[in-house]
Amino acid sequence: AASKSFAFEERDVSEAANASLAPGSVPDFDALGAIDLGAVSSAIGVLQPNAVYTPMSKGHEYMWDEEEKQRSFGEHLVFYTGAAYLGGVGIGVAAGLVEGAGKMSKLPNASTRLKVNAVVNACSKRAPALGANLGVLALLFAINERLLCYTRDKDDALNPILGASLTGMMYRSTCGARACLGWTVAGGGGMSLFN
C-alpha cells in the first residue's frame, strides 16, 4: 500500500485573530490550516472522488452485496420469536375478551367492576400462555431452520419445511409417538402449504 503524506499549511494563530469575535459568532477556521481532502479521502471511507449515491433496489442499505442476500441467525431468531410471542399475546387477548364477554352475560346483576374483572382475568389467563407457546415454537423453528441451512449448505425451500417438521417433533416429543408423529406431519405440511 502506498503511503501518503499530509501537508498542512502553517499559519499564525494568535488570540488577537479571534479576539474581535462577537458573542455567538463562528471563529475563522481557515486560520487553523487547510487539509487536502483528496489526500485523506481513502482514510475516511471515500474511495471515489465523484461517487454518486444510489440507493439499493430493496431500499435497505448494506455495506456489501452479500449482506443483502440473507439475514443473520440472530435476526431470524429475534424476529420469529418476538413476532410469534406478540401474535400469540394478541390472539390470547382476543380470546380472553370473547370468554370474558361470555362470563359478563352470566352476571346480569353484578357491578361493573366485577364484570371488568371477569374480562381481565380471562385475558390474563389466555394471553401469556398462548404467547409463550408460540414463542417457543418460533424459537425452535428458527434454530432448526438455521441448523439445516448450515448442515445442508443450501438455503432453499426445503429448509423451512424440514425445520417446521423438526419443530413439531421436538415440541411434542414428550407426549408419545403418535402425538410426536402428528405434530411432525402437521409442521411440515403446514410449512409446505405456506411456502
Side-chain angles (χ1 to χ4, degrees):
S3 63
K4 293 185 178 183
S5 61
F6 303 109
F8 296 99
E9 294 178 16
E10 293 192 23
R11 296 187 184 173
D12 181 28
V13 180
S14 62
E15 291 183 20
N18 289 327
S20 62
L21 285 178
S25 65
V26 179
D28 180 22
F29 289 111
D30 289 334
L32 299 175
I35 298 174
D36 180 19
L37 292 179
V40 296
S41 64
S42 61
I44 59 174
V46 180
L47 300 177
Q48 300 171 358
N50 297 326
V52 178
Y53 171 75
T54 55
M56 292 185 171
S57 61
K58 291 184 178 179
H60 303 294
E61 304 211 4
Y62 295 97
M63 212 51 115
W64 295 277
D65 290 337
E66 297 86 37
E67 289 181 358
E68 187 176 10
K69 293 180 180 150
Q70 146 177 331
R71 288 185 181 146
S72 71
F73 171 67
E75 288 173 327
H76 275 280
L77 190 71
V78 169
F79 175 74
Y80 288 159
T81 306
Y85 178 79
L86 290 176
V89 167
I91 293 169
V93 166
L97 287 173
V98 170
E99 182 182 337
K103 287 182 180 179
M104 277 180 23
S105 65
K106 294 178 183 176
L107 303 170
N109 297 330
S111 67
T112 305
R113 186 173 180 180
L114 189 60
K115 289 179 181 180
V116 169
N117 190 24
V119 172
V120 169
N121 285 343
C123 288
S124 64
K125 177 183 174 185
R126 301 281 177 223
L130 188 58
N133 284 334
L134 288 180
V136 166
L137 281 171
L139 179 76
L140 289 173
F141 173 73
I143 292 170
N144 287 331
E145 182 191 24
R146 195 51 44 185
L147 284 176
L148 284 167
C149 181
Y150 293 143
T151 303
R152 296 179 64 232
D153 200 25
K154 291 181 185 177
D155 193 13
D156 55 3
L158 191 58
N159 287 342
I161 295 170
L162 292 175
S165 296
L166 285 172
T167 299
M169 181 188 74
M170 291 171 68
Y171 189 68
R172 288 296 177 189
S173 62
T174 60
C175 295
R178 178 179 251 170
C180 182
L181 183 64
W183 276 77
T184 301
V185 171
M191 186 54 75
S192 64
L193 291 176
F194 185 70
N195 269 349

